[in-house]
Amino acid sequence: MTLAVGIIAASLASAPAPARADIVWDHWQQAESLRASGNKDEAVPHWKFLANHYASAGEWENAALFNGNLAAYYDTLGDYDQAISYYESENEYWVKAGKDWGAVKLQRADQIRTTVELYRQDRNETTVQQLALPKNSQLAKFEPTYGTYLGIYSEQDPKVGNIFTKMETVYGKKHAIYLAYAHWGQGFPATYAKRAKDAGGALQIAWEPDDGLDPVTDGTYLRKWAQDAKAAGIPIFLRFAGEMNGAWVKWHGNPAQYIAKFRMLHDVFAAEAPNVAMVWSPGDVPANDIDPYYPGDAYVDWVGVSLYIEPYENGDPSLPSMISTSSVERLTRLYNTYSDRKPLMLSETGVPHYAHSAGEDFTEWAKLNLQRLYEIMPYKYPRLKAITYFNVDQKMENAKNDYSLSTSSEIQNYYSKLIANPYLLSKVTDAAKPTDRIGYVPVDANHQAFTKKTKLIPFVKIPDVYIGKVEYILNGQVIASQTDLPYGLELRAGDVPEGSVIQIRVYNKAGKQTALRTFGLSSQVSVEIDGNEQKFEQAPVIVKGSTLTPLRAIFEAMGATVDYEAATRTVTAKKGSTTLRLTLDQKTVYVNGKAVQLDEPAQLVNGYTLAPARFVGETFGGKVAWDGTSRTVTITTK
């Protein structure tokens, strides 16, 4: 593709249309002359003129070419912000010209883009679930409410093989999904299904029609295969004819036929094997050939994708390095297209730690990208509900990479550390959730406040690839500095008052600061009654040093009845022989007719009555305590 673009550029540059105005032709000639003499600095103003001229004239190919010249120029200078802008414009104009030649330029833009994002733990299930649900709020077959299934292809792992019960011993955790390959014409892989069942897992089956789609018909073979799938008695994710958008498979090239076959299979399994979820799974490239193969929402349960990164494209060290590419950006297009409708899975994915073709070790790069795979991607893409790792040392075959987790003790231990997170689920069930009920949200304007404690996970990506140090600065003070992976920081609520600011500062290996980003972050007061954390529509607030908590919610949790008289702005609460009466914005309240003075009056906040926490908790006989470390009010009534 790069060669084709170069040929077209040379052709267009050498033969401008005679009808062009003289000024345009002059700029063109001067630009070419300067470039030919190696004086690109002085060619830049001419390229900018020509890029703008052809864009305004709607001559998209020429507009793309001159934007490409500018992108390459600024990329070489290390002026990455300008380079990214021109790469994106170049792609836009190629698309308008009906070409897909800009895809590689978008990839380069992602490679040189500096990214600093921040994600944190969140204990509010409502918030987490809202991010992870589809638009219609209806979960698909076997879809977790939130969280991401752990999956793996382990047959070529010397420590596991296809004895899936070994996974917990080797990697410290059971996996939810085990991957097996099957071929049209062969029987259902019952042995793999049994071994998955023995391990308490589900099975993903990559079912491949090696002779193309013509033999794929409804008949005795298919029905028996489906019946055997049902008899397996476990959840099965059926990935039929994956990577159909790639010319390297025999079932590529006829989207209409593919869709018809996929729909036929869906209908057969719906009738014969309800324990089978249909997975439509293209490769992430070529991206422009994906959508024509989509069978339709009614026929797809999950959308999958094969998505790999590697140090050298196709394992060839003579090609430009690919180490600046991460999996995170490569999922964006597919996610944005389908996640509103279907849960997504990485049907196959991997991060090599050794390139056999070059004889190079990439352990640090693998660790950086394994954290992105298992911590950043599930948080950034909450509809990503399953990840299946391709656990294979390819040696000198295919891309010649070592994706294996167990051939390196450092990678094996690192992987085990990452997957210990309960957010990565070990069991496939409908509406599954993490055992600790903790999810993750982006730290943004809508998700700044947390209760008790949280863990921050930064997604940091710089053009230099390798990161020297990450600093965390809270309210102007450096509170932590990390040079080792995985990156992350735990914070207690008591350390983060309302209105706090946290900054992430990034250095490259040479010690140069390459990025700084600021995020708003606050903690909120939490309330526990007899050990149960309370959920409020209006969070407690601090007013002049006093903690005000929702009055009605706490009183009712303690068994009291509450009435509010709007005309007098009076609250009356009763429990047993105790009656409380208070008026908003007045410090004097009455308990069984006796006046009591509050430090701060009860007040209306966003339509909810809040009053001092100690008074609220003690009025009906509770004992109240305050934990400043976690900013938690505890009320004990028993």
Side-chain angles (χ1 to χ4, degrees), residues 278-301:
M278 295 297 295
V279 181
W280 174 71
S281 185
D284 75 306
V285 291
N288 290 335
D289 287 342
I290 290 176
D291 298 337
Y293 287 89
Y294 186 59
D297 290 350
Y299 299 92
V300 173
D301 295 308

Side-chain angles (χ1 to χ4, degrees), residues 464-483:
D464 306 80
V465 182
Y466 294 110
I467 296 163
K469 182 171 64 175
V470 175
E471 282 185 344
Y472 305 85
I473 306 155
L474 182 64
N475 297 328
Q477 299 294 318
V478 176
I479 59 171
S481 178
Q482 291 181 317
T483 56

Side-chain angles (χ1 to χ4, degrees), residues 1 5 91 94-95 97-105 286-289:
M1 181 173 62
V5 172
N91 174 70
W94 282 128
V95 170
K99 313 291 186 183
D100 63 358
W101 297 336
V104 70
K105 303 305 181 73
N288 290 335
D289 287 342

Side-chain angles (χ1 to χ4, degrees), residues 22-42:
D22 288 345
I23 188 172
V24 177
W25 176 228
D26 289 344
H27 278 288
W28 193 314
Q29 283 190 311
Q30 290 182 59
E32 287 307 304
S33 175
L34 291 165
R35 176 164 62 175
S37 65
N39 194 351
K40 292 183 180 179
D41 292 350
E42 293 187 24

Side-chain angles (χ1 to χ4, degrees), residues 371-412:
Q371 183 182 21
R372 292 168 178 171
L373 182 61
Y374 286 102
E375 289 198 322
I376 301 305
M377 293 183 75
Y379 311 157
K380 181 179 180 70
Y381 306 116
R383 299 280 298 138
L384 176 61
K385 300 291 185 78
I387 298 173
T388 300
Y389 192 85
F390 188 70
N391 188 16
V392 172
D393 181 358
Q394 295 180 322
K395 302 189 185 308
M396 288 300 288
E397 298 177 357
N398 299 315
K400 306 175 182 64
N401 292 317
D402 187 356
Y403 296 95
S404 174
L405 298 167
S406 66
T407 55
S408 161
S409 59
E410 185 174 355
I411 292 296
Q412 179 177 335

Side-chain angles (χ1 to χ4, degrees), residues 164-175:
F164 305 141
T165 52
K166 293 182 179 180
M167 283 300 302
E168 187 172 14
T169 301
V170 175
Y171 296 106
K173 188 171 183 177
K174 292 181 179 180
H175 284 48

Side-chain angles (χ1 to χ4, degrees), residues 248-555:
W248 54 86
V249 298
K250 289 186 179 179
W251 46 92
H252 169 78
N254 188 337
Q257 183 188 31
Y258 177 87
I259 289 171
K261 300 294 185 180
F262 194 100
R263 290 179 173 183
M264 180 270 292
L265 289 174
H266 167 274
D267 292 345
V268 169
F269 284 98
E272 300 282 0
N275 61 316
V276 170
M278 295 297 295
V279 181
W280 174 71
S281 185
D284 75 306
V285 291
N288 290 335
D289 287 342
I290 290 176
D291 298 337
Y293 287 89
Y294 186 59
D297 290 350
Y299 299 92
V300 173
D301 295 308
W302 287 64
V303 169
V305 62
S306 295
L307 194 161
Y308 292 88
I309 57 172
E310 54 189 348
Y312 300 106
E313 188 171 359
N314 298 321
D316 186 349
S318 69
L319 295 175
S321 170
M322 295 290 287
I323 64 170
S324 298
T325 300
S326 84
S327 300
V328 180
E329 296 86 2
R330 293 182 68 162
L331 185 62
T332 301
R333 180 192 178 280
L334 195 77
Y335 188 87
N336 290 344
T337 303
Y338 295 102
S339 65
D340 279 347
R341 295 173 280 170
K342 301 294 174 183
L344 269 69
M345 67 163 60
L346 300 184
S347 311
E348 290 182 21
T349 190
V351 180
H353 57 86
Y354 191 83
H356 289 291
S357 57
E360 288 183 66
D361 184 273
F362 284 93
T363 295
E364 184 180 2
W365 181 77
K367 291 171 70 175
L368 183 67
N369 284 288
L370 282 170
Q371 183 182 21
R372 292 168 178 171
L373 182 61
Y374 286 102
E375 289 198 322
I376 301 305
M377 293 183 75
Y379 311 157
K380 181 179 180 70
Y381 306 116
R383 299 280 298 138
L384 176 61
K385 300 291 185 78
I387 298 173
T388 300
Y389 192 85
F390 188 70
N391 188 16
V392 172
D393 181 358
Q394 295 180 322
K395 302 189 185 308
M396 288 300 288
E397 298 177 357
N398 299 315
K400 306 175 182 64
N401 292 317
D402 187 356
Y403 296 95
S404 174
L405 298 167
S406 66
T407 55
S408 161
S409 59
E410 185 174 355
I411 292 296
Q412 179 177 335
N413 293 334
Y414 185 76
Y415 175 77
S416 297
K417 180 177 182 178
L418 289 175
I419 67 170
N421 181 357
Y423 193 81
L424 300 171
L425 307 171
S426 294
K427 182 74 175 178
V428 173
T429 59
D430 285 320
K433 296 179 180 181
T435 54
D436 62 1
R437 297 298 191 263
I438 291 177
Y440 293 80
V441 298
V443 177
D444 58 23
N446 297 318
H447 305 100
Q448 291 185 352
F450 69 94
T451 60
K452 293 188 176 180
K453 63 179 181 179
T454 192
K455 183 176 182 179
L456 303 178
I457 306 291
F459 170 35
V460 178
K461 188 171 176 292
I462 60 176
D464 306 80
V465 182
Y466 294 110
I467 296 163
K469 182 171 64 175
V470 175
E471 282 185 344
Y472 305 85
I473 306 155
L474 182 64
N475 297 328
Q477 299 294 318
V478 176
I479 59 171
S481 178
Q482 291 181 317
T483 56
D484 296 326
L485 290 156
Y487 302 124
L489 175 70
E490 291 189 350
L491 286 177
R492 301 171 301 182
D495 298 326
V496 189
E498 285 88 346
S500 291
V501 171
I502 190 160
Q503 294 177 301
I504 307 296
R505 187 156 56 200
V506 184
Y507 299 84
N508 63 14
K509 288 288 189 179
K512 178 184 177 182
Q513 179 179 319
T514 58
L516 175 68
R517 187 166 175 198
T518 302
F519 303 85
L521 190 67
S522 295
S523 67
Q524 289 179 337
V525 173
S526 59
V527 178
E528 289 185 355
I529 300 177
D530 296 328
N532 298 313
E533 186 172 355
Q534 305 300 297
K535 306 296 183 185
F536 304 121
E537 293 185 34
Q538 170 59 50
V541 299
I542 305 291
V543 176
K544 297 179 182 178
S546 293
T547 301
L548 305 187
T549 55
L551 184 148
R552 178 184 290 274
I554 294 177
F555 277 176

Side-chain angles (χ1 to χ4, degrees), residues 178-190:
Y178 298 93
L179 170 60
Y181 291 87
H183 303 275
W184 183 269
Q186 297 177 355
F188 175 80

